[in-house]
Amino acid sequence: MDQWITGIPGRIPDHAIFVEDPGHESFAKELAGEQSIVFVLDGGGGDDAVIPVSGFFNVAGEELLVGGTLNLEIQDYVAIPFVNLIGVTVVRITTAEDWQAFFDDAEESRRSGYFVRQLTEVNAVLAERGLLDGSPAIGSSLARLHITRDGRVLSGPYGSQIGWAGDSLADIHKRCLALQPESSLASVCDVEVIRKSLDARPWIPRYLAALDAWKFIPQGNRADTTLVGFGASLYGASPTDDLPSPRAPFIIHRAGEHTLLDTASGRTFRLGPDAAAIIEALSNLRDVQTAASAVAAPLGISAAVAEESARVILTQFEQAGVDVFGAS
């Protein structure tokens, strides 16, 4: 279900296929690989590869019950700041208003370090995450398919039409090869506008990584916590400076203490304030000498001492299996 919602391949080996009309279940099975999952709205199930679904997948404020056990609340992005997330919530970004609000919030986070609280909760799932974080184009891998009630085959719940019920998987695959990532929203948005908006903000994947990083911080600790690495700096980096790789670690600053958070593994490392500033500069600038020059004056040390310290820190974290640059 996560693969179908986000468009990120690899959650399951084959396709995630959503069928709006049980009458198209047999066709969906023809498209399914050995390790595909078929979700059938108002279907009866009875097959290990077929999961019955009930409710509404595209109506804000409604719920989708998957397999009788997984309950998903559906919300439009514009409503998210005004609702309390009780259970797992799918956050749809499908209209011009949604996209404007999403980009406005991202820009504000970059300027001020303020994040919409609901987006940092563990039960918030951003739809079309694959498009937002630059994951491989969903069409090329056929990670997900959506079969509408009238028999159209889409590249996702809001995607481009790539066939009709009865078409062969080979023909559908051929049409997928020409799709761009933005086509995952072709039936509800102006694809060109979305493409230009994302191209103008190549740092959006780092913003998403920051939202994920907040999920590692207990709710009770958040009021007096600063997340360094997006929207906040220890050495005076400008909000308009280049940002770290999405895979680079973050630094949690709370009550005068600094902790490095490696979101890839979930591990944390206690740091001194100078080491924290040096690591931030290394992540931002991705070059030892440039980072040393940036932090030397704020830390009150020479560039030579800053460079030596930076090399020592890099070596220590390399030995710990943490990539400060976020290159891997």
Side-chain angles (χ1 to χ4, degrees):
M1 180 51 68
D2 181 85
Q3 181 164 308
W4 176 74
I5 292 168
T6 65
I8 299 176
R11 268 48 173 171
I12 61 174
D14 283 325
H15 330 307
I17 305 174
F18 193 100
V19 182
E20 292 186 23
D21 188 330
H24 294 128
E25 180 180 323
S26 59
F27 169 62
K29 289 180 180 179
E30 293 176 11
L31 299 179
E34 291 184 0
Q35 300 183 77
S36 293
I37 296 294
V38 178
F39 301 101
V40 181
L41 190 63
D42 298 325
D47 185 322
D48 290 343
V50 176
I51 308 297
V53 178
S54 60
F56 301 87
F57 73 90
N58 62 351
V59 180
E62 295 290 351
E63 296 181 343
L64 192 68
L65 182 62
V66 183
T69 57
L70 174 62
N71 194 69
L72 304 174
E73 183 176 344
I74 312 299
Q75 287 291 351
D76 287 341
Y77 186 90
V78 292
I80 282 298
F82 310 104
V83 299
N84 291 319
L85 307 191
I86 305 302
V88 180
T89 302
V90 178
V91 184
R92 305 187 319 151
I93 311 178
T94 58
T95 67
E97 291 77 15
D98 287 331
W99 279 106
Q100 188 61 55
F102 172 79
F103 289 129
D104 287 348
D105 289 340
E107 296 275 7
E108 176 61 28
S109 295
R110 186 173 185 183
R111 285 192 301 268
S112 68
Y114 168 80
F115 294 82
V116 174
R117 174 184 58 80
Q118 289 84 344
L119 297 178
T120 68
E121 295 187 16
V122 294
N123 52 354
V125 182
L126 271 176
E128 309 309 322
R129 175 75 182 249
L131 168 62
L132 295 172
D133 68 10
S135 295
I138 59 172
S140 62
S141 63
L142 290 177
R144 60 180 180 172
L145 297 171
H146 188 95
I147 305 173
T148 65
R149 290 195 179 276
D150 61 3
R152 289 174 295 133
V153 181
L154 308 180
S155 59
Y158 311 108
S160 294
Q161 182 173 347
I162 51 178
W164 286 96
D167 289 353
S168 70
L169 181 61
D171 286 342
I172 290 173
H173 188 194
K174 186 183 300 182
R175 297 177 192 123
C176 280
L177 294 177
L179 296 180
Q180 297 296 317
E182 297 83 6
S183 67
S184 64
L185 290 166
S187 66
V188 291
C189 291
D190 185 322
V191 170
E192 188 62 26
V193 170
I194 300 304
R195 179 185 297 117
K196 289 180 178 179
S197 296
L198 290 172
D199 286 347
R201 301 171 179 84
W203 44 265
I204 287 293
R206 181 62 174 177
Y207 170 62
L208 298 178
L211 293 177
D212 290 343
W214 274 107
K215 297 177 182 182
F216 288 87
I217 303 171
Q219 288 282 355
N221 294 346
R222 292 186 178 186
D224 57 352
T225 294
T226 300
L227 187 68
V228 178
F230 191 93
S233 175
L234 297 172
Y235 69 90
S238 169
T240 60
D241 287 350
D242 288 341
L243 287 167
S245 159
R247 297 174 296 278
F250 288 86
I251 295 169
I252 300 168
H253 183 204
R254 179 174 183 266
E257 296 183 344
H258 301 82
T259 304
L260 181 142
L261 168 64
D262 177 29
T263 56
S265 64
R267 292 184 298 166
T268 57
F269 302 83
R270 186 65 58 84
L271 303 168
D274 289 357
I278 291 171
I279 289 173
E280 181 204 346
L282 287 169
S283 296
N284 284 346
L285 302 169
R286 307 177 207 187
D287 178 81
V288 172
Q289 290 184 331
T290 307
S293 297
V295 299
L299 297 183
I301 58 179
S302 69
V305 171
E307 182 175 343
E308 181 181 359
S309 299
R311 294 191 186 281
V312 170
I313 289 170
L314 269 181
T315 299
Q316 289 178 334
F317 278 100
E318 285 174 357
Q319 293 172 347
V322 176
D323 182 0
V324 171
F325 294 139
S328 60

